[in-house]
Amino acid sequence: MTNDRKCRWGILGSAGIAQKNWQAMAHAENAELVAVASRDQAKAREFIERCAAQVPLAQAPDAVGGYDELLARDDVDAIYLPLPTGLRTEWALKVAQAGKHLLCEKPCGTSLEEVERMVEACERAGVQFMDGVMFMHSDRLAKVREVMEDERTIGDLRRIATQFSFWAPEDFLTQNIRMHSDLEPHGCLGDLGWYAIRFILWAMKYQEPKAVTGRLLNASGRSDSPHPVPTEFSGELLFDGVSASFYCSFLTEHQQFAHLSGSKGNLRIDDFVLPYFGNRLGFVSSNARFDCEVCDFRMERREAHHQVDEYASSHSTAQETKLFRTFSGLVLKGETDPHWPQITLLTQRLMMACMESAQKQGKEITID
Amino acid sequence: MTNDRKCRWGILGSAGIAQKNWQAMAHAENAELVAVASRDQAKAREFIERCAAQVPLAQAPDAVGGYDELLARDDVDAIYLPLPTGLRTEWALKVAQAGKHLLCEKPCGTSLEEVERMVEACERAGVQFMDGVMFMHSDRLAKVREVMEDERTIGDLRRIATQFSFWAPEDFLTQNIRMHSDLEPHGCLGDLGWYAIRFILWAMKYQEPKAVTGRLLNASGRSDSPHPVPTEFSGELLFDGVSASFYCSFLTEHQQFAHLSGSKGNLRIDDFVLPYFGNRLGFVSSNARFDCEVCDFRMERREAHHQVDEYASSHSTAQETKLFRTFSGLVLKGETDPHWPQITLLTQRLMMACMESAQKQGKEITID
């Protein structure tokens, strides 16, 4: 395998979210988009034309009619799977059976068992499994870890507080697939809470919490949904010596903060999921100092701003480019990294435990 | 009563926290500190000398030996009561019986019944009752309310997230009165959570939540404490259509954020309790915009910074000065404002409900 070989990608489904990844693959020098499949070939063609008009590729990918046709191709190494969660398991298993590597959107499954089956199928086939959490690939995380471990900024971590939300307009709440319980049964918990749980796990180096709690604050569904789905959800992950809260919502406008607080100070990321456009990615640490001198009480703000040389969406240095670069690199090396499926399984397990807690009115669910 | 009359203050107890209020009274043009009482007159004298050396008063207050002696004085209109919570009720009742107005440190009582007795005693005596939450008197709150109600920044409020904590050194954990369950049975919940609950209630215009939850994350006590006290606590207040989380801790270094998130955007205060020194008091609002154009996904940061012409601790415009100015103004007008005891009672009630929830492993406690 020479250095100029590229990982050849196929997109299974022509969802809007996949358009972002067209550009990410174009930016990743070791990736090449070979084919886009839709059940209807005309839709795949439209998707390709729309994307190529904005971001032309050296060679236009093929428009494939039907998912099985995509999986039968010899010139595809890896599949990006953006289908709705409820339809994903069937196709994830076929991807593995076809011997293709699998980049799977999140939440990966509607149950832990589904994800276990996907991951086992990938293991048996010797292909890489990875979920689509893009911030995992940002250089910012390494910088955050460096500050977390410098022993003077945060000290011993005690508390993590996260929030990720967006305000869904009426047509989302009545028509979007994320409001249908067969397709996305975990609603905002799957769509947004997944990122919060993952970030918390990352901060905790994938230690398992002792227990979790979850509270369903709101739920609704579009008219053809068999059940309501969570539209507003809060929870807490309880580790030894550290607790972590999260809130996610389709009813609350854009918010994506993460605070890490410890015995010596704290660190805040304002945009931990989707970095703000046009900025080098950054975060703020703070070690305020409280001075008392008889009648004078002074709380001094002592902030430090940290940045990495990485830019947001659509940029060649963006985290989604790095995701495709990392994944493609594994494929080209012919190695699989078991870390990625492991953290997907843990995230799914905790998300399910949060749902279980919510069904029991916030009762603490022990994690064994 | 002429304009140059001042409200004449006595401090009952010579706790360190009262030193800050020496300066606040010196700054409030309608307040005058007349006497400081300690059980031991020498201690009162030392307190006065220490404060006067830094902030001299036109006329030095008297050093009074014994609390009863202070309450017997005819030249005192109002009492500031910084005694530990567990000792406070007895003296609060005596303050009212002596016909003096009462500014009471928080948490006001060890139980709701205690605070009800204090408030009733003040009502019968026709004197003002108010608790010592200084941020209630900051001009910043009015500005926050203005932004909350402008209909474009936050929209409909959905979520409040607050945290207030400081890292207590070893000698605090082993010697401070806040680690003794007879003196301060609610530990960090009383000392820090009180502010979070009050801020949330303020944001909600004192609407009662439907239910609250509380979780005791850590507890300990100094060696002579009959019981452990909370040292780390989290909770959630559940209103109709709005939920509010809080976290407070003696084990986590300084943090005092409040996020208000709604259907259109959000607002963040970094220092909602103790404003950062040397800054005009401020906060940040944000209405990020997510733009998708085929392959380009842009999350645009759109922040606005708001400030009021008010400075932090030790300044003549500081919130603690305004507390003494407001209270003194009520006394001089000869009116009592029932709003202040009402919000103390509601805060105490919810704090006790959070404790009850924590004792029941986080079970939701309904508020009738």
Side-chain angles (χ1 to χ4, degrees), chain B residues 92-131:
Chain B
L93 297 174
K94 288 186 181 174
V95 168
Q97 279 157 11
K100 314 294 191 198
H101 302 272
L102 175 60
L103 178 62
C104 183
E105 262 308 332
K106 36 54 54 185
C108 291
T110 64
S111 67
L112 180 58
E113 292 66 32
E114 281 189 1
V115 184
E116 285 172 341
R117 285 174 61 209
M118 292 182 201
V119 166
E120 280 162 20
C122 287
E123 272 177 14
R124 271 198 308 275
V127 295
Q128 182 68 49
F129 177 94
M130 190 187 285
D131 68 35

Short mmCIF file of all heavy atoms in Angstrom, two decimals, chain B residues 92-131:
data_model
loop_
_atom_site.label_atom_id
_atom_site.label_comp_id
_atom_site.label_asym_id
_atom_site.label_seq_id
_atom_site.Cartn_x
_atom_site.Cartn_y
_atom_site.Cartn_z
N ALA B 92 -32.97 36.44 67.09
CA ALA B 92 -33.88 37.11 66.14
C ALA B 92 -35.19 37.45 66.84
O ALA B 92 -35.74 38.55 66.68
CB ALA B 92 -34.14 36.20 64.94
N LEU B 93 -35.69 36.53 67.66
CA LEU B 93 -36.94 36.78 68.38
C LEU B 93 -36.76 37.93 69.37
O LEU B 93 -37.65 38.78 69.53
CB LEU B 93 -37.41 35.51 69.10
CG LEU B 93 -37.76 34.33 68.18
CD1 LEU B 93 -38.08 33.08 68.98
CD2 LEU B 93 -38.93 34.69 67.25
N LYS B 94 -35.61 37.97 70.03
CA LYS B 94 -35.35 39.06 70.98
C LYS B 94 -35.20 40.42 70.28
O LYS B 94 -35.60 41.45 70.82
CB LYS B 94 -34.09 38.76 71.80
CG LYS B 94 -34.28 37.65 72.83
CD LYS B 94 -33.06 37.49 73.72
CE LYS B 94 -33.24 36.38 74.73
NZ LYS B 94 -32.01 36.12 75.51
N VAL B 95 -34.60 40.39 69.07
CA VAL B 95 -34.47 41.63 68.30
C VAL B 95 -35.87 42.19 68.02
O VAL B 95 -36.14 43.38 68.23
CB VAL B 95 -33.73 41.37 66.96
CG1 VAL B 95 -33.85 42.57 66.01
CG2 VAL B 95 -32.25 41.05 67.23
N ALA B 96 -36.77 41.30 67.59
CA ALA B 96 -38.14 41.74 67.29
C ALA B 96 -38.84 42.24 68.55
O ALA B 96 -39.49 43.30 68.54
CB ALA B 96 -38.92 40.60 66.65
N GLN B 97 -38.68 41.48 69.63
CA GLN B 97 -39.31 41.90 70.90
C GLN B 97 -38.81 43.27 71.35
O GLN B 97 -39.55 44.04 71.96
CB GLN B 97 -39.02 40.86 72.00
CG GLN B 97 -39.93 39.65 71.94
CD GLN B 97 -39.32 38.41 72.62
OE1 GLN B 97 -38.30 38.52 73.30
NE2 GLN B 97 -39.93 37.26 72.40
N ALA B 98 -37.54 43.56 71.04
CA ALA B 98 -36.97 44.85 71.43
C ALA B 98 -37.40 45.96 70.47
O ALA B 98 -36.99 47.12 70.63
CB ALA B 98 -35.45 44.74 71.48
N GLY B 99 -38.20 45.59 69.44
CA GLY B 99 -38.71 46.59 68.50
C GLY B 99 -37.68 47.08 67.50
O GLY B 99 -37.81 48.15 66.91
N LYS B 100 -36.63 46.26 67.31
CA LYS B 100 -35.60 46.64 66.33
C LYS B 100 -35.87 45.92 64.99
O LYS B 100 -36.33 44.78 64.97
CB LYS B 100 -34.20 46.22 66.82
CG LYS B 100 -33.87 46.54 68.27
CD LYS B 100 -33.79 48.01 68.53
CE LYS B 100 -33.20 48.28 69.93
NZ LYS B 100 -33.49 49.66 70.39
N HIS B 101 -35.52 46.58 63.92
CA HIS B 101 -35.59 45.96 62.59
C HIS B 101 -34.46 44.95 62.46
O HIS B 101 -33.41 45.10 63.07
CB HIS B 101 -35.50 47.04 61.52
CG HIS B 101 -36.57 48.08 61.65
ND1 HIS B 101 -37.81 47.96 61.07
CD2 HIS B 101 -36.59 49.26 62.34
CE1 HIS B 101 -38.54 49.01 61.37
NE2 HIS B 101 -37.83 49.83 62.14
N LEU B 102 -34.70 43.92 61.62
CA LEU B 102 -33.77 42.78 61.61
C LEU B 102 -33.25 42.45 60.22
O LEU B 102 -34.01 42.06 59.32
CB LEU B 102 -34.48 41.55 62.18
CG LEU B 102 -33.71 40.23 62.15
CD1 LEU B 102 -32.40 40.31 62.95
CD2 LEU B 102 -34.57 39.09 62.69
N LEU B 103 -31.95 42.58 60.06
CA LEU B 103 -31.27 42.07 58.86
C LEU B 103 -30.55 40.79 59.27
O LEU B 103 -29.62 40.82 60.07
CB LEU B 103 -30.27 43.10 58.33
CG LEU B 103 -29.46 42.66 57.11
CD1 LEU B 103 -30.36 42.39 55.90
CD2 LEU B 103 -28.40 43.70 56.75
N CYS B 104 -30.99 39.69 58.70
CA CYS B 104 -30.63 38.36 59.18
C CYS B 104 -29.76 37.63 58.16
O CYS B 104 -30.13 37.54 56.99
CB CYS B 104 -31.96 37.60 59.39
SG CYS B 104 -31.77 35.97 60.07
N GLU B 105 -28.62 37.11 58.59
CA GLU B 105 -27.78 36.35 57.65
C GLU B 105 -28.50 35.08 57.22
O GLU B 105 -29.46 34.65 57.85
CB GLU B 105 -26.41 36.03 58.27
CG GLU B 105 -25.31 37.00 57.85
CD GLU B 105 -25.17 37.20 56.33
OE1 GLU B 105 -25.50 36.28 55.56
OE2 GLU B 105 -24.74 38.29 55.91
N LYS B 106 -27.99 34.48 56.15
CA LYS B 106 -28.62 33.27 55.61
C LYS B 106 -27.69 32.09 55.79
O LYS B 106 -26.48 32.32 55.92
CB LYS B 106 -29.00 33.46 54.15
CG LYS B 106 -28.07 34.31 53.26
CD LYS B 106 -26.61 33.96 53.17
CE LYS B 106 -26.28 32.55 52.79
NZ LYS B 106 -24.80 32.28 52.85
N PRO B 107 -28.20 30.85 55.80
CA PRO B 107 -29.61 30.50 55.72
C PRO B 107 -30.30 30.95 57.01
O PRO B 107 -29.71 30.82 58.08
CB PRO B 107 -29.60 28.97 55.63
CG PRO B 107 -28.34 28.58 56.34
CD PRO B 107 -27.36 29.66 56.00
N CYS B 108 -31.52 31.45 56.94
CA CYS B 108 -32.06 32.14 58.12
C CYS B 108 -32.30 31.21 59.30
O CYS B 108 -32.09 31.60 60.43
CB CYS B 108 -33.30 32.91 57.73
SG CYS B 108 -32.85 34.31 56.67
N GLY B 109 -32.74 29.99 59.03
CA GLY B 109 -33.02 29.10 60.16
C GLY B 109 -32.62 27.67 59.86
O GLY B 109 -32.28 27.33 58.73
N THR B 110 -32.66 26.84 60.90
CA THR B 110 -32.34 25.43 60.69
C THR B 110 -33.59 24.68 60.22
O THR B 110 -33.49 23.53 59.80
CB THR B 110 -31.79 24.78 61.97
OG1 THR B 110 -32.81 24.80 62.97
CG2 THR B 110 -30.57 25.53 62.49
N SER B 111 -34.77 25.32 60.34
CA SER B 111 -36.01 24.70 59.88
C SER B 111 -36.93 25.80 59.37
O SER B 111 -36.73 26.99 59.67
CB SER B 111 -36.70 23.96 61.02
OG SER B 111 -37.14 24.90 61.99
N LEU B 112 -37.95 25.41 58.64
CA LEU B 112 -38.94 26.39 58.17
C LEU B 112 -39.68 27.00 59.36
O LEU B 112 -39.97 28.20 59.38
CB LEU B 112 -39.92 25.71 57.20
CG LEU B 112 -41.02 26.62 56.64
CD1 LEU B 112 -40.43 27.82 55.89
CD2 LEU B 112 -41.95 25.83 55.72
N GLU B 113 -39.96 26.18 60.37
CA GLU B 113 -40.71 26.65 61.54
C GLU B 113 -39.96 27.79 62.22
O GLU B 113 -40.56 28.77 62.66
CB GLU B 113 -40.94 25.50 62.54
CG GLU B 113 -41.87 24.41 62.03
CD GLU B 113 -41.33 23.63 60.83
OE1 GLU B 113 -40.09 23.44 60.71
OE2 GLU B 113 -42.16 23.24 59.96
N GLU B 114 -38.66 27.66 62.35
CA GLU B 114 -37.87 28.73 62.97
C GLU B 114 -38.04 30.05 62.23
O GLU B 114 -38.21 31.11 62.84
CB GLU B 114 -36.38 28.36 62.96
CG GLU B 114 -35.98 27.38 64.03
CD GLU B 114 -34.45 27.23 64.12
OE1 GLU B 114 -33.72 27.91 63.36
OE2 GLU B 114 -34.01 26.42 64.95
N VAL B 115 -37.97 29.98 60.92
CA VAL B 115 -38.05 31.22 60.13
C VAL B 115 -39.47 31.78 60.21
O VAL B 115 -39.66 33.00 60.29
CB VAL B 115 -37.60 30.98 58.68
CG1 VAL B 115 -37.60 32.29 57.90
CG2 VAL B 115 -36.21 30.37 58.66
N GLU B 116 -40.45 30.90 60.23
CA GLU B 116 -41.84 31.37 60.39
C GLU B 116 -42.00 32.12 61.71
O GLU B 116 -42.63 33.18 61.77
CB GLU B 116 -42.82 30.20 60.31
CG GLU B 116 -43.00 29.69 58.88
CD GLU B 116 -43.81 28.39 58.79
OE1 GLU B 116 -43.94 27.68 59.82
OE2 GLU B 116 -44.27 28.08 57.69
N ARG B 117 -41.38 31.59 62.76
CA ARG B 117 -41.47 32.26 64.07
C ARG B 117 -40.79 33.62 64.04
O ARG B 117 -41.31 34.60 64.57
CB ARG B 117 -40.84 31.37 65.16
CG ARG B 117 -41.71 30.19 65.55
CD ARG B 117 -41.00 29.26 66.51
NE ARG B 117 -40.64 29.91 67.76
CZ ARG B 117 -39.59 29.56 68.51
NH1 ARG B 117 -38.79 28.58 68.13
NH2 ARG B 117 -39.35 30.21 69.64
N MET B 118 -39.61 33.69 63.42
CA MET B 118 -38.89 34.98 63.31
C MET B 118 -39.73 36.01 62.56
O MET B 118 -39.87 37.16 62.98
CB MET B 118 -37.60 34.81 62.50
CG MET B 118 -36.52 34.00 63.14
SD MET B 118 -35.09 34.04 61.97
CE MET B 118 -34.22 32.61 62.55
N VAL B 119 -40.25 35.57 61.42
CA VAL B 119 -40.99 36.49 60.56
C VAL B 119 -42.26 36.96 61.26
O VAL B 119 -42.61 38.15 61.23
CB VAL B 119 -41.30 35.81 59.20
CG1 VAL B 119 -42.34 36.59 58.41
CG2 VAL B 119 -40.01 35.67 58.39
N GLU B 120 -42.94 36.03 61.93
CA GLU B 120 -44.16 36.41 62.67
C GLU B 120 -43.84 37.40 63.79
O GLU B 120 -44.57 38.36 64.02
CB GLU B 120 -44.84 35.17 63.26
CG GLU B 120 -45.67 34.42 62.22
CD GLU B 120 -46.00 32.99 62.65
OE1 GLU B 120 -45.93 32.68 63.87
OE2 GLU B 120 -46.30 32.17 61.75
N ALA B 121 -42.73 37.16 64.48
CA ALA B 121 -42.34 38.07 65.56
C ALA B 121 -42.06 39.47 65.02
O ALA B 121 -42.44 40.48 65.64
CB ALA B 121 -41.11 37.51 66.29
N CYS B 122 -41.42 39.54 63.86
CA CYS B 122 -41.14 40.85 63.26
C CYS B 122 -42.44 41.52 62.82
O CYS B 122 -42.62 42.73 62.99
CB CYS B 122 -40.19 40.70 62.06
SG CYS B 122 -38.50 40.33 62.58
N GLU B 123 -43.35 40.72 62.25
CA GLU B 123 -44.66 41.28 61.84
C GLU B 123 -45.40 41.85 63.05
O GLU B 123 -45.91 42.98 63.00
CB GLU B 123 -45.53 40.19 61.21
CG GLU B 123 -45.31 40.05 59.72
CD GLU B 123 -46.15 38.91 59.14
OE1 GLU B 123 -47.07 38.40 59.81
OE2 GLU B 123 -45.82 38.50 58.01
N ARG B 124 -45.48 41.08 64.12
CA ARG B 124 -46.17 41.55 65.33
C ARG B 124 -45.56 42.83 65.85
O ARG B 124 -46.26 43.73 66.31
CB ARG B 124 -46.10 40.47 66.43
CG ARG B 124 -47.23 39.46 66.40
CD ARG B 124 -47.33 38.70 67.73
NE ARG B 124 -46.08 38.12 68.16
CZ ARG B 124 -45.62 36.92 67.75
NH1 ARG B 124 -46.34 36.20 66.90
NH2 ARG B 124 -44.47 36.47 68.19
N ALA B 125 -44.22 42.90 65.79
CA ALA B 125 -43.53 44.08 66.32
C ALA B 125 -43.53 45.25 65.33
O ALA B 125 -43.09 46.35 65.68
CB ALA B 125 -42.09 43.70 66.69
N GLY B 126 -44.00 44.98 64.12
CA GLY B 126 -44.03 46.05 63.12
C GLY B 126 -42.64 46.45 62.64
O GLY B 126 -42.41 47.60 62.25
N VAL B 127 -41.71 45.50 62.67
CA VAL B 127 -40.35 45.82 62.21
C VAL B 127 -40.04 45.05 60.92
O VAL B 127 -40.65 44.02 60.62
CB VAL B 127 -39.27 45.48 63.28
CG1 VAL B 127 -39.46 46.39 64.51
CG2 VAL B 127 -39.30 44.01 63.66
N GLN B 128 -39.10 45.57 60.17
CA GLN B 128 -38.71 44.96 58.89
C GLN B 128 -37.87 43.71 59.13
O GLN B 128 -36.95 43.72 59.95
CB GLN B 128 -37.91 45.96 58.06
CG GLN B 128 -37.49 45.45 56.70
CD GLN B 128 -38.68 45.27 55.76
OE1 GLN B 128 -39.50 46.16 55.63
NE2 GLN B 128 -38.78 44.11 55.13
N PHE B 129 -38.16 42.66 58.36
CA PHE B 129 -37.30 41.47 58.30
C PHE B 129 -36.74 41.39 56.89
O PHE B 129 -37.47 41.54 55.91
CB PHE B 129 -38.11 40.21 58.61
CG PHE B 129 -37.31 38.94 58.50
CD1 PHE B 129 -36.70 38.38 59.61
CD2 PHE B 129 -37.13 38.31 57.26
CE1 PHE B 129 -35.94 37.21 59.51
CE2 PHE B 129 -36.36 37.16 57.16
CZ PHE B 129 -35.77 36.61 58.27
N MET B 130 -35.45 41.11 56.80
CA MET B 130 -34.82 40.92 55.48
C MET B 130 -33.63 39.98 55.65
O MET B 130 -32.95 40.04 56.69
CB MET B 130 -34.33 42.26 54.93
CG MET B 130 -33.87 42.23 53.47
SD MET B 130 -33.10 43.82 52.92
CE MET B 130 -34.53 44.86 52.73
N ASP B 131 -33.39 39.13 54.65
CA ASP B 131 -32.19 38.30 54.75
C ASP B 131 -31.02 38.95 54.02
O ASP B 131 -31.20 39.91 53.26
CB ASP B 131 -32.44 36.85 54.32
CG ASP B 131 -32.73 36.69 52.84
OD1 ASP B 131 -32.15 37.43 52.02
OD2 ASP B 131 -33.52 35.79 52.49
#
